[in-house]
Amino acid sequence: MKAIYVTGATGILGANVCTQLLAKGYGVRASVRDMDNSDALALRGAGVEIVPGDLKDRASLSAAIKGADGVIH
């Protein structure tokens, strides 16, 4: 299974991208600043791999995209 890293996954567009990727059989991973955010919890419940982090933090971004086959930004 291909793994895709999605930025902005807790937004309306990003959440829909995640849903569509999951429906097509992709593994989906996303960074979230607030792990207790209701949007993050909903994504996790849908099957998105949620990792703590921020796009402005190079180390967390590097860890989040490691092993991903693609990035949707």
Side-chain angles (χ1 to χ4, degrees):
M1 170 186 344
K2 295 224 180 235
I4 307 295
Y5 174 74
V6 178
T7 65
T10 56
I12 292 171
L13 181 59
N16 283 307
V17 167
C18 290
T19 302
Q20 292 297 315
L21 288 169
L22 290 168
K24 294 182 184 292
Y26 289 96
V28 180
R29 182 182 310 147
S31 292
V32 174
R33 288 177 292 207
D34 180 4
M35 297 295 286
D36 296 324
N37 177 305
S38 61
D39 295 324
L41 296 173
L43 288 170
R44 183 182 301 142
V48 175
E49 178 188 352
I50 301 296
V51 294
D54 189 315
L55 293 178
K56 295 180 280 184
D57 177 8
R58 186 175 290 208
S60 71
L61 178 59
S62 179
I65 63 173
K66 187 173 185 167
D69 296 301
V71 175
I72 295 179
H73 174 66

